[in-house]
Amino acid sequence: MILALGAREKIDSWTKFNHFKSTIKDALIRLNDLVDESDPDVDLPNIVHAFQTAERIRRDYPTQDWFHLTGLIHDLGKVMAFYGEPQWAVVGDTFVVGCEWDNDIVYRDTSFVDNVDGNNPKYNTKYGMYKPNCGLEKLLLSWGHDEYLYRVLLHNKSTLPKEALYMIRFHSFYPWHSAGNYQHLTTKEDEEEVKKWVLTFNQYDLYTKSTEIPDIEKLWPYYEKLIDKYIPGILEW
């Protein structure tokens, strides 16, 4: 499978938004039944991690309610796993497709052994199918829960600010925001503005995982108000 083609096929399939309808709260509750196989840190359901992340952000940024909600929903795209997507196409780090594979991609040496992109000069060079410094918006990333939730929020006209959308869309793009790669493809704004917000978020995503379980039922009323403020009603997924 050509990775770029595969990513586009996933986008075409999932951005029809015809898989199910649900409120944000009901989708979050479904995460009770999902344990992320790619996460080595903890084997708790994803909804627990969602509240852990949100509450740590709330403690440090008490007046930025949109940031609290972003922490709560950031992994919600993982609901794809309940609709026929294998976990490898839902979770884990993301990377750019359509150009040479970066050395910091997890399992880079073994994941792409049989992939035809590696022998295709259209896709296996430094720039591949892109122009220099074309920007994040022009890049095609491997499909996963980040991109899916970002597109769900746009489709359903969420009023979360752009900073929240940066965090959601790129928080698994570790070869870029943590390893410092792909600067030949990004813009100055990507590196200075977008990355700043993604890194601000990621310290909570990574370092809030523990066996301490928050009182979810007690916390729901606060977060339901935020859902009603920024992403109300029944959404198309």
Side-chain angles (χ1 to χ4, degrees):
M1 166 65 77
I2 297 173
L3 288 174
L5 179 60
R8 289 193 180 104
E9 287 178 349
K10 294 295 185 185
I11 291 170
D12 289 344
S13 173
W14 285 95
T15 58
K16 290 182 174 66
F17 305 108
N18 60 358
H19 289 80
F20 65 103
K21 294 182 180 181
S22 172
T23 63
I24 289 289
K25 180 178 180 180
D26 286 344
L28 281 164
I29 290 172
R30 293 208 66 180
L31 293 187
N32 269 318
D33 299 321
L34 177 67
V35 174
D36 184 343
E37 295 172 356
S38 74
D39 188 346
D41 296 331
V42 68
D43 58 359
L44 294 170
N46 262 247
I47 194 171
V48 175
H49 169 56
F51 275 93
Q52 289 173 331
T53 304
E55 283 297 287
R56 279 287 301 277
I57 293 170
R58 184 181 176 189
R59 183 195 68 186
D60 292 350
Y61 294 85
T63 64
Q64 297 189 32
D65 63 355
W66 64 266
F67 197 2
H68 313 164
L69 182 58
T70 301
L72 186 72
I73 69 169
H74 73 279
D75 277 342
L76 197 45
K78 292 179 181 179
V79 294
M80 286 190 293
F82 299 117
Y83 294 89
E85 283 295 335
Q87 283 218 19
W88 62 262
V90 176
V91 301
D93 298 358
T94 56
F95 55 90
V96 181
V97 301
C99 65
E100 66 181 0
W101 302 311
D102 190 270
N103 289 329
D104 289 302
I105 298 171
V106 176
Y107 302 125
R108 184 244 188 268
D109 292 336
T110 56
S111 297
F112 309 127
V113 172
D114 298 320
N115 194 276
V116 296
D117 287 22
N119 298 316
N120 187 336
K122 182 179 179 181
Y123 301 121
N124 67 4
T125 63
K126 179 178 180 179
Y127 290 99
M129 63 185 193
Y130 306 107
K131 295 181 179 179
N133 302 111
C134 59
L136 286 173
E137 289 292 334
K138 299 287 181 64
L139 299 182
L140 185 62
L141 300 186
S142 57
W143 181 250
H145 66 282
D146 298 29
E147 185 71 17
Y148 177 52
L149 180 59
Y150 164 74
R151 289 174 179 266
V152 166
L153 294 173
L154 290 184
H155 175 72
N156 288 283
K157 298 180 172 56
S158 164
T159 58
L160 284 169
K162 64 180 182 180
E163 293 84 358
L165 299 180
Y166 296 155
M167 296 171 179
I168 288 167
R169 191 178 194 185
F170 300 118
H171 72 269
S172 299
F173 190 14
Y174 286 94
W176 170 62
H177 64 67
S178 294
N181 299 313
Y182 298 114
Q183 292 186 30
H184 59 293
L185 296 174
T186 56
T187 65
K188 182 178 180 180
E189 182 181 1
D190 293 336
E191 294 297 323
E192 295 181 358
E193 180 69 13
V194 180
K195 184 179 286 186
K196 176 187 72 176
W197 285 105
V198 176
L199 289 175
T200 298
F201 170 77
N202 268 64
Q203 62 183 308
Y204 297 99
D205 185 22
L206 286 176
Y207 302 118
T208 55
K209 297 173 183 177
S210 70
T211 56
E212 183 179 345
I213 300 177
D215 188 340
I216 293 175
E217 289 305 313
K218 184 178 180 179
L219 293 171
W220 265 127
Y222 173 73
Y223 287 99
E224 284 180 281
K225 290 180 181 178
L226 300 189
I227 292 169
D228 289 341
K229 179 178 180 180
Y230 292 104
I231 328 169
I234 297 174
L235 279 60
E236 295 178 335
W237 299 77

